Amino acid sequence: MDNVYADSWGTAIYFWIIPVVLGDAIFPPVPSEMVVITGGALSADGRANVFLVLALSALASWIGDVVVFQLFRRRLSHVLDRWGWGRRVHSGIHQAIARAGRSSTYGAIIGARFIPGGRLATSAMAGIANVSVPGFSLCAGLGALLWACWLVGLGYFTGSATGLPFWASSLIGVALGLVIGVVVGIVVTRRRGNRSPVVEEPGPPLA
C-alpha cells in the first residue's frame, strides 16, 4: 500500500508543481516550497525524475515572476481591486514590498526569492521601477533556477540522508528550509521600514 501511495504521488507531483508555484507568485501562502521539496524527496526515492521536477519548478517560478512584473509594469494592478479576493492579494503585495524594501536591483531580483515574500515583492517593485524587460527576465530566470535547485536539492538530500518515507523527508526538508529562510529574512530585513513605499499611479478608468 505504501509503494502504491508513493507511486501515485510520484505521478501527481508533475501536475501539482506548475499551478502551485505559479500561484505562489501572487499569493505567497501557497505552499510551493513544500511541493518542490516533496518532488525532490520523491526523486531520491526513485518515484520521480529529479531533472523534470527541477525544470518544471524553475519554469513555473520564472513565468509567475514575469506575470507579476508585467502586471505592475503596465500599471494594471488596479484590476485586482475589482474583486474582494483581488483586494486582499493587492494588500498582501504591498505588505510584502514593505517588508522587503524598495530594492529592485538585479541582485535583489535573483536573491530575494529565498526570503519569505521576497519573490513577490521584488517582482512587483521591479515592475513599478520600470526595470528593463530583458534584464528582469534574465535575472528572474537565473533566480528561478537557483531557487528550484535549492529546494529540489533540499528534498533530495533529506530523502537520501534519512531513508524515511518521502512524506517524512519532505516535512524535514520544509522545516529546514523554513528555519533558514526565516533567519535570512531577519538578517536582510531587520533594518527595513514597515510601511509600504509604493505610490502607484492611478490607472485608467475601467469600461
Side-chain angles (χ1 to χ4, degrees):
M1 179 63 72
D2 289 342
N3 287 336
V4 173
Y5 179 67
D7 287 338
S8 65
W9 261 94
T11 302
I13 197 69
Y14 301 128
F15 299 97
W16 278 104
I17 286 174
I18 290 182
V20 172
V21 176
L22 279 174
D24 179 47
I26 294 179
F27 192 60
V30 173
S32 63
E33 289 84 0
M34 175 173 287
V35 172
V36 177
I37 289 172
T38 298
L42 285 165
S43 299
D45 202 30
R47 310 288 179 178
N49 185 300
V50 66
F51 297 107
L52 184 54
V53 170
L54 179 62
L56 290 174
S57 302
L59 177 63
S61 178
W62 179 76
I63 293 174
D65 291 350
V66 170
V67 168
V68 173
F69 171 71
Q70 289 292 350
L71 184 70
F72 279 83
R73 188 171 188 270
R74 297 176 184 274
R75 304 299 190 264
L76 297 177
S77 56
H78 63 280
V79 175
L80 292 172
D81 295 333
R82 297 180 65 179
W83 301 278
W85 64 266
R87 288 191 291 272
R88 290 192 292 272
V89 169
H90 200 173
S91 176
I93 290 172
H94 280 267
Q95 291 173 13
I97 292 173
R99 287 193 298 269
R102 268 193 172 273
S103 179
S104 59
T105 63
Y106 293 131
I109 293 169
I110 295 172
R113 69 191 60 243
F114 293 95
I115 65 175
R119 176 186 171 202
L120 168 63
T122 52
S123 296
M125 205 55 240
I128 293 169
N130 285 318
V131 172
S132 72
V133 174
F136 177 85
S137 298
L138 178 62
C139 291
L142 178 57
L145 182 60
L146 294 173
W147 177 83
C149 287
W150 158 243
L151 293 179
V152 173
L154 189 58
Y156 193 94
F157 172 76
T158 54
S160 300
T162 63
L164 295 171
F166 79 93
W167 56 268
S169 299
S170 299
L171 291 176
I172 294 172
V174 168
L176 287 174
L178 180 62
V179 170
I180 294 171
V182 168
V183 170
V184 172
I186 291 173
V187 172
V188 171
T189 64
R190 63 181 179 177
R191 295 182 181 178
R192 308 281 189 181
N194 58 9
R195 188 164 60 104
S196 177
V198 179
V199 178
E200 296 186 60
E201 298 176 3
L206 297 174

